[in-house]
């Protein structure tokens, strides 16, 4: 897994420098139709991704993080997309599939979660990597293309590239398949890479190798990376900035050090307390009361997390919670964080069962 | 004498090939595993996919054939002809990984939880119903859920239904195979807390099979690390996490992402050191087939797979 | 497969033994002395224990001797030989029609599911499932054979045509088309439905999202990824299609009076020509087993996951 590392042209400072902005999302709302009504899975999300930056997005299932990724890539079939998504200064929200296909796979690419299902079982690994190069560079000769594919297989650290070229996905292990998926994603050296839970299905030792690979790619290609995960450890190791999503909204966004040192939003803090931490001993893990509401039952007004912290007085919440910039670059939604505290364990026990 | 004692357990699967389905070789899924679990404790079995940890659990309860070795439960051999008979024991139960597929979707919660009760205990309809309601209450589900079907519940709730079924007969030993891997972190916390409470209340013994070292460290008293069907290291929580000896254990621990962004550089350095050791010293830890050696004691509680000296 | 063949042959043998009479019953003069018949039985081995008789029968069958048809007074092998060729042609043309109909309809229906086009095709498949083949065959015969006179209404070739001539071949084809089409229109509906659900299923697979994320056009996604993966189970289904066809030929050949195995089968039953019946059943059975084997072979060729090493 040796990568040639180019010297970075840019150095990253906290805050936004417009010339480096790669992706800018404003008030994005992605809605799905369920029984004749539209429900927003991504609700009023605004964020930016810069070059040579990893933006981590954390959240549990149902938080809308994958729906957000699919919206950027234009991969939703029957969703209504409102708001703006600007990629390198050009709008890519609701553009035609033909136009999107010129960008997808070339300037922007995606790494998928499940290496077992994301590859076509009937095509060789070589053909599948080859396809993405062919689609965006039809003039390349077959021989050159094959050479490039083998170079890519080598780059993602798969031994014996010529042999692997001819293999089918089922002949490879999960970790190797994920490398193939990464090879597909980086084949045309995209400027924006979206990794949707890239290591969730993998063993820890493989995970750390894949994460190293993604880090190298960032340095090597100067790419902007969106890393979606539910694993706070992965975020801590990888991200430059972090956005925490809950119920379709960003509830907190800050650079990684600030967020881990001083998490503010009740949801962020609850998440931190519910993960078994290998560094310190906890007797009990924190349990967030209730469940993530389904898309149809999402409260659309007020603080969406309020029902899960019922011991916090209603007056602590804003009527229409917005993101507040508490220190430069650190945004928190709603005012409830200033009055949030964790309840006494014994009290919590009586309540957590009710669902 | 331990509560559950496993000695030199081997589970080999035949590989069949050719026109007549002849056995051409064996996959040594579990290859000589021995351990003892004490009553009321939690024993963690850690390994990556393909390490044989799940097969070990399944063989102990009798879902896989045992090739050789012994399984002793409460001082009595639990081995039938070539299968463990623990699954017919009402004090031994299993919790499965996938809360979505391990519950029969066509059955009501009442019938799912009542099944073991109906099999083992002669209770009237009202008594069964009352017991099921008690169990639901214990796992924190409302008694109205009794007539619902599995699909009406969230993942964490389903896993709790699985737990309710497992504890219906007041078991002494529960084999939990990755019970929280498919769950979100907050739901995972719920199930883990609940399993701990239950342990205290019923003096349960857990054999906890998992790959997430964070969860294992949180829950287990003793831990074993498995690699390609063999143990590479076994010890108390402190032995394994504070004083890992085998290179494979070190690699596993080094690979856990550190939750402190400030430790990035330190973590990276540690990982590189371990990787370097792995690359140049792996002969000292693995035999020429790439398998772990036999276990050698390095303290009263701590066993490491190292070549025999001399 | 070999155990299946043995089991099949034993079953057929037992059933044949249970039928009244034996090889001599039909051909002997009632005036012959019963002692002489008994001697003849002994000589022919008809009094041997069943397993010896079975082995004799298998031996004869393997050497191509299926016995005598008492109705046609000719060896069954010869009789079957003529009919078999007709049925193979009928089956082949039916299969071609079946897939010619199923593939485009299934693809359209699967790709544009829940549109009016899909609903139309699905309606056709439901009608196809509901109508019994023998009724549909009769309707086709009546409309296109008798009313419109587009096709001949019986036989496999016009009488008086010389074998080997162009006219003979054309006449053969003309006789084939209507029965084959009738059978295909009904037989195809299960394949259409199957292909439709396969395509709908494949459409939602993760690797299709991967293909779209590569920037592949919709056309390419369908041609390169969805279609190939959906046709795979259809190929595996081929052997069963073959088995279904055997059942179909029995009806269709009878309705169209087409001299093939199916018609021979029905005729032999009504005429109590047992040696022919057992031979035909044996051949049908072998064809079914071979069909299943063929499915496995096709699947192992097209699916790399189960490719034989």
């Amino acid at each position: 897994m040796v990568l040639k590392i180019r010297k970075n042209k840019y150095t990253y400072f906290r805050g936004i420098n417009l010339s480096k902005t790669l992706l800018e999302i404003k008030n994005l709302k992605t809605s799905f139709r369920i029984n004749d009504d539209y429900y927003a899975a991504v609700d009023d999300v605004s964020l930016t991704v810069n070059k040579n930056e990893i933006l981590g997005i954390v959240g549990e299932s149902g938080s809308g993080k994958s729906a957000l990724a699919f919206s950027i890539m234009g991969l939703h079939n029957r969703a209504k997309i409102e708001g703006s998504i600007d990629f390198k200064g050009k709008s890519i929200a609701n553009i035609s599939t033909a136009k999107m296909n010129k960008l997808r796979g070339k300037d922007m690419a995606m790494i998928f979660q499940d290496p077992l299902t994301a590859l076509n079982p009937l095509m060789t690994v070589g053909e599948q990597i080859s396809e993405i190069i062919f689609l965006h560079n039809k003039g390349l000769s077959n021989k050159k293309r094959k050479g490039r594919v083998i170079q890519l297989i080598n780059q993602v650290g798969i031994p014996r590239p010529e042999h692997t070229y001819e293999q089918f996905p089922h002949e490879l292990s999960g970790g190797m398949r994920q490398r193939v998926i990464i090879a597909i994603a980086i084949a045309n050296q995209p400027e924006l890479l979206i990794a949707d839970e890239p290591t969730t299905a993998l063993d820890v030792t493989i995970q750390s190798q894949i994460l190293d690979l993604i880090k190298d790619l960032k340095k090597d290609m100067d790419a902007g990376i969106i890393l979606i995960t539910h694993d706070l450890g992965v975020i801590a190791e990888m991200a430059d900035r972090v956005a925490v999503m809950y119920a379709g909204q960003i509830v907190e966004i800050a650079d990684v050090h600030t967020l881990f040192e001083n998490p503010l939003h009740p949801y962020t803090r609850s998440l931190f307390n519910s993960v078994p931490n290998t560094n310190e001993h906890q007797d009990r893990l924190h349990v967030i009361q209730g469940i993530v509401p389904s898309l149809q039952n999402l409260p659309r007004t007020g603080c969406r997390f309020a029902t899960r912290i019922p011991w916090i007085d209603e007056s602590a919440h804003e009527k229409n919670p917005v993101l507040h910039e508490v220190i430069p670059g650190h945004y928190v939604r709603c005012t409830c964080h200033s009055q949030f505290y964790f309840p006494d364990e014994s009290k919590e026990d009586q309540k957590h069962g009710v669902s | 004498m331990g509560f559950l004692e496993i000695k030199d357990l081997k589970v080999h699967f035949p590989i069949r090939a050719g026109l007549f389905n002849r056995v051409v070789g064996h996959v040594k899924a579990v290859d000589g595993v021995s351990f003892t679990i004490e009553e009321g404790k939690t024993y963690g079995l850690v390994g990556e996919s393909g390490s044989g940890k799940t097969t070990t659990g399944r063989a102990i309860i009798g879902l896989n054939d045992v090739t050789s070795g012994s399984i002793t439960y409460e001082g009595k051999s639990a081995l039938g002809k070539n299968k463990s008979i623990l699954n017919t024991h009402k004090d031994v139960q299993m919790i499965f990984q996938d809360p979505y597929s391990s519950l029969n979707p066509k059955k009501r919660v009442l019938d799912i939880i009542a099944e073991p009760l109906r099999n083992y205990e002669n209770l009237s309809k009202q008594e069964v119903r009352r017991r099921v309601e008690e169990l639901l209450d214990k796992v924190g589900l409302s008694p109205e859920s009794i007539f619902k079907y599995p699909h009406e519940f969230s993942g964490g709730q389903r896993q709790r239904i699985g737990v309710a079924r497992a504890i219906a007969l007041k078991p002494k030993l529960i084999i939990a195979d990755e019970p929280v891997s498919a769950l979100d972190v907050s739901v995972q916390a719920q199930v883990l807390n609940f399993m701990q409470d239950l342990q205290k209340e019923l003096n349960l013994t857990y054999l906890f099979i998992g790959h997430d070292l964070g969860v294992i460290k949180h829950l287990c008293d003793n831990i074993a690390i498995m690699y390609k069907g063999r143990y590479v290291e076994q010890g108390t929580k402190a032995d394994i996490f504070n004083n890992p000896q085998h290179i494979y254990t070190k690699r596993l621990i080094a690979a856990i992402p550190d939750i402190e962004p400030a430790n990035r550089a330190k973590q990276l350095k540690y990982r590189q050191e371990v990787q370097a050791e792995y690359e140049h010293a792996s002969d000292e830890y693995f035999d020429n087939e790439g398998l772990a050696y036999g276990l050698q004691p390095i303290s009263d509680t701590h066993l490491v797979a190292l070549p025999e000296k001399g | 497969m070999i155990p299946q063949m043995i089991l099949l042959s034993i079953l057929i043998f037992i059933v044949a033994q249970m039928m009244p009479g034996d090889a001599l019953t039909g051909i002997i003069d009632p005036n012959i002395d019963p002692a002489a018949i008994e001697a003849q039985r002994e000589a022919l081995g008809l009094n041997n224990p069943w397993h010896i008789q079975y082995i004799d029968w298998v031996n004869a069958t393997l050497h191509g001797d299926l016995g005598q048809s008492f109705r046609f007074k000719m060896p069954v092998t010869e009789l079957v030989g003529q009919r078999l060729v007709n049925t193979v042609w009928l089956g082949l043309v039916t299969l071609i029609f079946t897939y010619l109909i199923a593939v485009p309809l299934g693809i359209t229906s699967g790709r544009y599911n829940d549109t009016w086009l899909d609903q139309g095709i699905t309606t056709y498949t439901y009608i196809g499932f509901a109508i019994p083949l023998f009724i549909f065959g009769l309707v086709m015969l009546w409309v296109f054979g008798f009313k419109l006179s587009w096709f001949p209404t019986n036989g496999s070739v016009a009488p008086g045509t010389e074998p080997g001539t162009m006219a003979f071949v054309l006449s053969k084809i003309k006789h084939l088309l209507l029965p084959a089409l009738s059978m295909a229109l009904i037989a195809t509906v299960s394949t259409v439905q199957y292909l439709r659900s396969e395509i709908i299923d494949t459409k939602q697979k993760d690797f299709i999202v991967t293909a779209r994320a590569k920037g592949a056009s919709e056309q390419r996604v369908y041609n390169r990824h969805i279609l190939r993966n959906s046709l795979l189970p259809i190929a595996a289904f081929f052997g069963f299609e073959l088995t279904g066809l055997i059942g179909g030929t029995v009806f269709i050949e009878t309705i169209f009076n087409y001299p093939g195995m199916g018609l021979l089968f029905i005729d032999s039953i009504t005429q109590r020509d047992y040696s022919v019946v057992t031979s035909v059943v044996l051949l049908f059975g072998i064809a079914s087993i071979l069909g299943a084997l063929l499915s496995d072979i096709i699947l192992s060729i097209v699916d790399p996951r189960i490719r034989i090493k």
Side-chain angles (χ1 to χ4, degrees), chain A residues 30-43 62 247-248 291-301 304:
Chain A
T30 303
S31 320
F32 296 108
R33 196 175 163 162
I34 305 169
N35 304 330
D36 296 331
D37 279 313
Y38 279 97
Y39 296 93
V42 177
D43 205 349
I291 53 167
V292 181
S294 67
L295 208 48
Q296 287 132 291
N297 301 327
L298 259 181
R300 299 284 168 188
T301 51
R304 294 186 180 187

Side-chain angles (χ1 to χ4, degrees), chain C residues 13-85:
Chain C
F13 181 76
I14 290 171
V15 171
Q17 288 287 301
M18 279 160 63
M19 289 181 190
D22 58 34
L24 291 178
T25 322
I27 51 173
I28 43 178
D29 191 321
N31 302 322
I32 294 174
D33 177 20
I37 298 173
E38 197 49 43
Q40 190 64 29
R41 280 177 185 283
E42 194 62 49
L44 286 171
L46 292 175
N47 290 337
N48 289 341
W50 74 271
H51 59 271
I52 308 251
Q53 286 199 49
Y54 171 71
I55 288 167
D56 288 345
W57 175 69
V58 169
N59 217 355
T61 307
L62 289 178
H63 287 92
D65 178 10
L66 293 166
Q68 282 277 329
S69 158
F70 82 86
R71 186 163 64 105
F72 292 97
K73 304 282 182 279
M74 63 194 285
V76 176
T77 320
E78 230 169 89
L79 185 65
V80 166
Q82 297 171 359
R83 303 295 191 102
L84 193 61
V85 177

Side-chain angles (χ1 to χ4, degrees), chain B residues 4 6 9-11 13 30 53-67 70-73 78-89 92-96 173-175 177 207 209:
Chain B
L4 177 72
I6 310 296
L9 181 75
K10 285 184 183 169
V11 180
F13 296 116
V30 181
K53 58 185 193 303
T54 294
T55 312
T56 307
R58 291 173 62 91
I60 291 171
I61 203 169
L63 296 173
N64 278 129
D65 287 356
V66 171
T67 308
S70 74
I71 299 170
T72 319
Y73 174 70
L79 215 52
K81 203 164 160 245
N82 50 12
K83 238 186 172 84
S84 158
I85 50 159
L86 281 183
N87 56 343
T88 61
H89 241 276
V92 184
Q93 294 292 329
M94 189 150 183
I95 304 174
F96 295 92
L173 171 68
I174 288 184
I175 298 176
D177 185 9
L207 171 57
I209 299 165

Side-chain angles (χ1 to χ4, degrees), chain C residues 144-301:
Chain C
F144 296 101
F146 290 105
K147 280 283 150 188
L148 299 170
S149 300
W150 289 357
F151 297 100
T153 55
N154 79 61
S156 74
V157 65
T161 36
E162 197 66 37
T165 61
M166 200 57 202
F168 180 83
V169 175
L170 284 177
S171 169
K172 275 263 185 196
I173 292 173
K174 215 172 170 192
H175 279 82
L176 266 176
L177 286 179
L178 192 58
L181 196 63
S182 308
M183 200 156 38
L185 279 170
I186 295 294
T188 200
V189 294
S190 57
T191 315
V192 173
Q193 277 274 334
Y194 198 35
L195 187 56
R196 173 182 185 270
S197 61
E198 274 304 322
I199 287 183
I200 293 172
D201 200 39
T202 314
K203 266 198 327 201
Q204 290 155 351
K205 291 270 169 70
D206 285 352
F207 65 81
I208 299 305
V209 180
T210 310
R212 291 212 172 93
K214 283 176 181 176
S217 65
E218 253 342 69
Q219 203 53 42
R220 192 181 166 91
V221 167
Y222 270 91
N223 294 343
R224 283 292 170 117
H225 295 273
I226 296 178
L227 199 55
R228 192 168 162 219
N229 291 271
S230 306
L231 282 174
L232 192 97
I234 302 297
F237 207 56
F238 177 76
F240 301 101
E241 201 80 60
L242 218 59
T243 317
L245 216 58
I246 293 169
T249 54
V250 173
F251 291 116
I252 284 296
E253 288 180 3
T254 311
I255 291 163
F256 288 87
N257 206 16
Y258 182 89
M261 297 282 284
L263 185 60
L264 179 66
F265 179 64
I266 293 292
D267 281 352
S268 310
I269 290 176
T270 51
Q271 306 276 331
R272 307 281 187 275
D273 199 352
Y274 298 125
S275 52
V276 179
V277 175
T278 44
S279 310
V280 174
V281 171
L282 183 68
L283 285 173
F284 280 169
I286 290 172
S288 303
I289 294 172
L290 284 177
L293 179 73
L294 203 61
S295 277
D296 288 350
I297 292 173
I298 293 174
L299 200 59
S300 70
I301 291 170

Side-chain angles (χ1 to χ4, degrees), chain A residues 60-61 203 205 239 278 285 353, chain B residues 48-49 140 184 186 193 217 264:
Chain A
E60 295 181 277
S61 37
D203 283 323
T205 51
T278 46
L285 301 168
Chain B
E48 298 190 288
S49 41
D184 267 323
S186 67
N193 279 355
K217 187 179 179 188
R264 268 184 205 180

